Amino acid sequence: MGNTEPTADFRFNMNYIATVRGRAGWAMDNTLFYLTAGGAYAQGEINGIVSATPRHLKADQFGWVVGAGMEHAVSDHFRLRMEYLYTQFANTKYQDACCNVDWNWGGEHEVKAAAIWAF
């Protein structure tokens, strides 16, 4: 994390993350093992004090995502899924007329579990 304001005191929040991914895998009986990859988008927000002035800065962040998972069909209508994702975002500049903050969120690790009911 870089900051051009040495007197800054701020807090960073990632408001949301969205991914667009493809997946390819191998089916064995009722279980699918797969790899997934694609692009990532997030909106970040910095709130804090810079040079004694409260600031609220938002910026869009872009990156990529990779992962792996497995999905098992318990029945024709019920499936269970486990998935791991790693998302990496590029350095992003949060700025307004007063402030300039370079932010490197780095990587985001996620482990997901899902129960899926298909109609």
Side-chain angles (χ1 to χ4, degrees):
M1 160 182 65
N3 181 9
T4 59
E5 292 285 339
T7 60
D9 180 21
F10 53 85
R11 180 175 49 112
F12 178 78
N13 290 321
M14 186 70 76
N15 291 335
Y16 51 82
I17 298 173
T19 62
V20 175
R21 300 178 281 136
R23 74 178 182 175
W26 304 267
M28 295 173 26
D29 294 324
N30 292 336
T31 305
L32 172 68
F33 297 94
Y34 63 89
L35 299 174
T36 183
Y41 165 79
Q43 183 187 70
E45 180 177 18
I46 292 178
N47 292 297
I49 306 296
V50 179
S51 299
T53 305
R55 288 289 178 223
H56 177 78
L57 307 172
K58 286 186 180 181
D60 297 327
Q61 294 192 228
F62 297 93
W64 50 267
V65 59
V66 295
M70 60 90 57
E71 189 169 305
H72 178 74
V74 177
S75 69
D76 287 344
H77 299 285
F78 185 65
R79 299 188 307 266
L80 297 173
R81 179 186 301 168
M82 287 291 295
E83 184 175 66
Y84 166 78
L85 296 175
Y86 175 76
T87 308
Q88 178 71 46
F89 292 102
N91 288 354
T92 304
K93 191 172 293 281
Y94 290 76
Q95 60 189 4
D96 66 6
C98 157
C99 308
N100 185 9
V101 178
D102 290 323
W103 187 264
N104 182 356
W105 174 254
E108 177 81 15
H109 297 273
E110 297 177 67
V111 175
K112 299 179 178 185
I116 303 158
W117 181 262
F119 297 96

